[in-house]
Amino acid sequence: MSNGRPLRAGLVGLGSMGRHHARVLAGLDGVDFVGVVDPMGDTYGAAQGAPVLDTVEQLLALGVDYTVVACPTALHEEVGLQLAEAGVCALVEKPVADTVEGARRMVEAFESRGLVAGVGHIERCNPALRSLRARLESGELGDVYQVVTRRQGPFPHRIADVGVVKDLATHDIDLTGWVTGREYVSIAAHVVSKSGRPHEDMVSAVGRLDDGTMVNHLVNWLSPLKERFTSVTGERGCFIADTLTADLTFHSNAAVATEWEALQAFRGVAEGDMIRYAIQKREPLLVEHELFRDAVLGKPADICTLRQGMRTVEVAAAVLESAVSGRSVDLQSEELATHGV
């Protein structure tokens, strides 16, 4: 696409995440950061010298090959459709849209024009999870039985337009499908709202993937403890990823039986070796941008596509539907097509 010249990239939104995108774009090899849209201006001095504009139309007038969409979730669809109409590729912060129907319109807009578009599910670029996925793909764990995630921490005051399911649980929904290479087929959930806001603050969900793998997600922003935990249990043991520190450990099933009779009744599978892997740790956001840049250039790149991002929105909608209805939601039906959750 670039004919040997640097790609021209823009940004929409200089909020908490947008400021990080601006920093990475300004130093990204093979890319010129040409402008950023934010009607509030550059309050934090984060534009890295790029002109700060009031409208997407002004950005398009500068000529851009792709644009990062980091405005509030409720505006993703409006901005995304503008970019698609103009023939501009887009990297959209997660979730791709705030409704299932909006996500589907985004997919149609970019796919029908043959434009590269992705979703910023940054956990896919976390070193621990990338290593975990590779190890699962190579069969190191054998059959996978269960995926458990915990994502807890204090309330993020930057979030005003969505609840914990769309803001945080979408990370876990996407990473679970990505590391296992599987699809959700059902989900059941409970939520609570304790902060006085119209949205939920905590969710506990149980799901099933298309190979029978059990999934458990606990997500909240009511805890003073910040935790980012993913475990995958399978035939040969258990992987544990801490995505705050990007550490990956493996707890293997033992080849040596437990001889202490008093413990045998409680241990079940005997304990084996524990390994903490040495992993090259690069900034996930930089990796995400490098992959998307390469995708725009037509190179092979493992990005989260809009269609994959849409599926995550569908599962998140099913989580909220289950919490309201008090029943499990079948994700293999067309039921979600009618929900604007």
Side-chain angles (χ1 to χ4, degrees):
M1 172 179 278
S2 66
N3 298 318
R5 63 169 174 79
L7 290 171
R8 294 174 63 80
L11 170 66
V12 178
L14 273 175
S16 177
M17 198 64 202
R19 296 194 291 274
H20 290 294
H21 282 294
R23 170 180 54 82
V24 173
L25 281 169
L28 189 60
D29 289 342
V31 171
D32 286 339
F33 182 30
V34 299
V36 55
V37 177
D38 195 315
M40 303 298 291
D42 188 7
T43 307
Y44 297 92
Q48 306 291 323
V52 181
L53 312 167
D54 293 325
T55 67
V56 173
E57 289 81 4
Q58 290 174 324
L59 178 64
L60 293 173
L62 295 178
V64 287
D65 298 303
Y66 74 91
T67 292
V68 178
V69 180
C71 53
T73 304
L75 299 176
H76 284 185
E77 181 185 354
E78 176 186 342
V79 173
L81 294 181
Q82 278 186 275
L83 296 172
E85 180 68 26
V88 174
C89 300
L91 173 60
V92 184
E93 259 304 328
K94 63 84 202 163
V96 61
D98 61 349
T99 67
V100 171
E101 290 300 332
R104 291 174 180 168
R105 286 189 289 268
M106 290 269 279
V107 169
E108 168 62 21
F110 284 92
E111 286 189 354
S112 65
R113 294 171 172 85
L115 295 169
V116 176
V119 186
H121 280 292
I122 196 168
E123 292 285 41
R124 293 189 180 207
C125 299
N126 188 285
L129 292 177
R130 292 179 73 82
S131 179
L132 170 56
R133 183 181 189 235
R135 293 176 186 281
L136 292 178
E137 286 182 336
S138 68
E140 290 186 26
L141 194 59
D143 290 341
V144 175
Y145 303 152
Q146 182 185 46
V147 180
V148 175
T149 70
R150 297 196 303 268
R151 186 174 299 268
Q152 306 182 87
F155 178 73
H157 294 284
R158 62 184 174 82
I159 300 298
D161 59 340
V162 294
V164 74
V165 171
K166 292 179 181 176
D167 182 56
L168 292 183
T170 47
H171 280 301
D172 297 302
I173 293 166
D174 179 75
L175 75 85
T176 297
W178 179 71
V179 298
T180 61
R182 296 294 179 176
E183 292 274 350
Y184 286 77
V185 295
S186 67
I187 198 85
H190 295 282
V191 300
V192 297
S193 300
K194 296 293 186 182
S195 66
R197 300 167 66 253
H199 304 292
E200 75 288 346
D201 307 310
M202 176 182 287
V203 60
S204 178
V206 178
R208 185 167 58 86
L209 304 183
D210 57 13
D211 64 345
T213 297
M214 179 187 296
V215 174
N216 301 78
H217 301 307
L218 177 63
V219 189
N220 78 71
W221 51 40
L222 297 176
S223 171
L225 167 68
K226 188 168 184 178
E227 183 181 34
R228 302 288 185 267
F229 171 95
T230 300
S231 73
V232 182
T233 302
E235 182 181 5
R236 300 191 179 113
C238 176
F239 283 110
I240 296 178
D242 182 336
T243 51
L244 285 176
T245 60
D247 287 328
L248 179 67
T249 57
F250 178 58
H251 299 255
S252 70
N253 296 340
V256 179
T258 300
E259 295 183 11
W260 186 1
E261 185 176 352
L263 289 182
Q264 288 178 350
F266 300 100
R267 293 293 187 187
V269 175
E271 291 178 312
D273 295 328
M274 186 185 77
I275 303 167
R276 185 172 69 85
Y277 298 104
I279 302 171
Q280 183 184 21
K281 297 180 180 180
R282 303 182 67 228
E283 182 186 1
L285 189 62
L286 175 58
V287 174
E288 179 180 280
H289 274 272
E290 289 174 345
L291 290 171
F292 191 75
R293 173 202 62 198
D294 291 349
V296 173
L297 290 171
K299 300 177 182 178
D302 182 22
I303 66 170
C304 177
T305 66
L306 282 195
R307 188 166 289 276
Q308 291 168 341
M310 177 187 73
R311 183 58 175 171
T312 295
V313 173
E314 289 175 345
V315 177
V319 168
L320 294 171
E321 171 65 16
S322 173
V324 170
S325 69
R327 60 182 176 83
S328 178
V329 174
D330 180 5
L331 282 148
Q332 295 176 303
S333 72
E334 293 301 314
E335 180 180 7
L336 292 178
T338 62
H339 294 312
V341 181

